[in-house]
Amino acid sequence: MVSVELGFTLGYILVCLCFVAPPSEFRAAGITVQNILAGWLGSEDLHFIHYHVKRTAATALIHAALPLGYYAGLSIISPQLQLWDFSIAPKPAVVYFAVFSAIFCGVVVMNYIWSRKGWEGHPIAKRLKSLGGNSWRATASAINVEFRRVDKFSSGIGGTRLYITDSWILKTGPYNVDIAHQANVHLRVVKTEDHVISHETGTSVQYLRIAVEQLSAGGKTFTIRLNSTEYGDLKNKLSAPIHAARDVVIRQSLSDMFLEAFREQVSQNPHYSLPEDAPPAEPCIGCMQTQSNVKLVKHCEDGDEGECVQCYCRPMWCLECMGKWFSSRQDQAHPERWLAGKSPCPTCRAKFCMLDVCFIA
């Protein structure tokens, strides 16, 4: 039979591991430092830097207290051990308590030093100072303003989160936050990890390890881990290019693969010539960045045969937006049928297929 002490020890270790590196079940239940101290930490969206300054300090303090929690719990579960009477308690237990008490006291002193003068000594504040500017608070304010915008890129794997704003690359971990200015970094894909089955999705997945090398003197190099399906969105948000070695093969997302096939098919379709009196092409109403360059013209069947019908809308969409619209109207559970599928025109709802999408000559 398993002893009470052994059962408590194994259970406490399991709970501590889940608390230090919380699985999705713990995060959903709110058993994390962020949720437990939400009232004191404040809002991450409004005050990103100050939120993580306090969060990293609190995380270090709480995690340092966990071994002492085990000692206190064991003294309650097994009072016969007399753990609080150090003269007769087992020597290994006394050594254990002394070591982890010293570690906890050290973390308390460290947090006190960090918090003096408005967290002036915190590693995050020191890192912001190294990035230049009049003060670390001014840099923190600039980051906070950009973080509040809704167009930032965000991704998360395990206990880390990655955020890309217009000017900054931010990676948060349990005890630290890595910060880099986009204009002052060199990015390169250093490794890919292919997994047959992901524990989160149950399907195959590829992760990329991207090194962020800061070009300024004393800048810290750090690595971000990213799902390859998010690689395209990451590149769109970055102002600096991402370099990859020739032996690194990055798998495209399903939508990227479809857009590539969609683009190849449309390039083979007949081109459409605008009438002489037609107004010039306007920006795509989907993205408002690219000139509208495709027109829907029925080519798949003769006359009135088939499901597709003639669309009489003027060119208003670019190829990328039309391809994304087409894929969004397909059965998401059966991507193998997308190429043969049909979609309503985003403007007039006339049904069309890929053979009816024509580049403007």
Side-chain angles (χ1 to χ4, degrees):
M1 181 180 293
V2 178
S3 66
V4 175
E5 293 83 0
L6 179 58
F8 174 74
T9 300
L10 294 178
Y12 192 86
I13 291 174
L14 179 61
V15 171
C16 286
L17 289 176
C18 291
F19 187 72
V20 172
S24 56
E25 292 79 8
F26 267 55
R27 291 196 294 269
I31 309 176
T32 61
V33 173
Q34 296 93 305
N35 287 320
I36 294 173
L37 301 178
W40 177 67
L41 294 176
S43 172
E44 180 187 35
D45 291 331
L46 295 178
H47 307 288
F48 176 83
I49 292 297
H50 293 83
Y51 174 91
H52 284 285
V53 164
K54 293 191 289 185
R55 179 194 62 80
T56 51
T59 300
L61 187 63
I62 293 175
H63 288 180
L66 293 177
L68 298 179
Y70 167 74
Y71 192 89
L74 188 60
S75 69
I76 297 173
I77 295 296
S78 302
Q80 71 276 10
L81 295 177
Q82 296 182 323
L83 296 179
W84 296 114
D85 190 344
F86 299 123
S87 62
I88 60 176
K91 187 175 181 180
V94 174
V95 173
Y96 172 94
F97 181 78
V99 170
F100 285 105
S101 294
I103 293 174
F104 178 75
C105 291
V107 175
V108 171
V109 172
M110 179 182 69
N111 275 356
Y112 171 73
I113 295 173
W114 284 355
S115 63
R116 295 177 61 190
K117 298 181 180 179
W119 299 99
E120 190 83 24
H122 195 281
I124 295 178
K126 294 179 179 179
R127 195 165 299 131
L128 292 175
K129 285 181 183 179
S130 68
L131 294 173
N134 296 327
S135 69
W136 74 272
R137 288 186 175 84
T139 307
S141 178
I143 294 175
N144 291 338
V145 169
E146 289 195 10
F147 190 82
R148 295 179 193 129
R149 298 172 185 169
V150 297
D151 62 341
K152 61 180 177 291
F153 171 86
S154 63
S155 174
I157 298 176
T160 64
R161 296 288 302 175
L162 172 67
Y163 302 100
I164 310 292
T165 67
D166 293 338
S167 305
W168 300 95
I169 301 174
L170 310 166
K171 176 191 172 185
T172 66
Y175 310 112
N176 70 313
V177 176
D178 292 310
I179 304 170
H181 198 282
Q182 285 203 46
N184 196 35
V185 295
H186 175 82
L187 300 103
R188 56 189 179 88
V189 181
V190 295
K191 185 181 179 182
T192 60
E193 304 171 9
D194 293 284
H195 301 272
V196 178
I197 297 179
S198 168
H199 71 281
E200 295 180 345
T201 63
T203 59
S204 63
V205 65
Q206 182 189 58
Y207 293 109
L208 310 177
R209 288 194 178 275
I210 302 175
V212 181
E213 301 173 351
Q214 302 195 53
L215 305 179
S216 59
K220 178 186 175 184
T221 297
F222 58 93
T223 303
I224 57 180
R225 190 166 180 256
L226 183 77
N227 193 317
S228 62
T229 59
E230 300 175 307
Y231 183 66
D233 294 332
L234 175 71
K235 289 201 302 181
N236 291 337
K237 192 60 182 176
L238 288 170
S239 58
I242 304 178
H243 304 278
R246 292 185 178 181
D247 59 338
V248 173
V249 178
I250 301 174
R251 281 168 32 189
Q252 294 178 300
S253 66
L254 183 62
S255 59
D256 288 339
M257 289 189 289
F258 173 78
L259 285 176
E260 185 175 325
F262 187 84
R263 188 181 300 107
E264 182 178 353
Q265 176 58 55
V266 173
S267 66
Q268 298 174 11
N269 294 343
H271 286 208
Y272 174 80
S273 298
L274 288 172
E276 293 184 0
D277 57 346
E282 299 177 351
C284 167
I285 63 174
C287 62
M288 298 301 293
Q289 296 179 353
T290 308
Q291 290 293 109
S292 53
N293 56 6
V294 292
K295 172 77 169 71
L296 299 181
V297 181
K298 180 175 167 59
H299 286 297
C300 58
E301 300 286 351
D302 294 328
D304 297 328
E305 296 180 7
E307 295 183 54
C308 298
V309 297
Q310 179 61 44
C311 171
Y312 295 99
C313 298
R314 72 180 191 276
M316 292 185 289
W317 299 84
C318 69
L319 178 68
E320 297 290 327
C321 291
M322 185 64 78
K324 292 177 181 177
W325 166 265
F326 189 94
S327 64
S328 70
R329 312 309 293 178
Q330 307 307 309
D331 184 354
Q332 302 301 307
H334 296 281
E336 70 278 3
R337 302 176 186 173
W338 290 6
L339 295 177
K342 292 177 172 56
S343 167
C345 167
T347 307
C348 71
R349 306 305 179 187
K351 190 165 287 188
F352 71 97
C353 66
M354 287 176 57
L355 298 176
D356 301 329
V357 184
C358 304
F359 274 120
I360 299 176

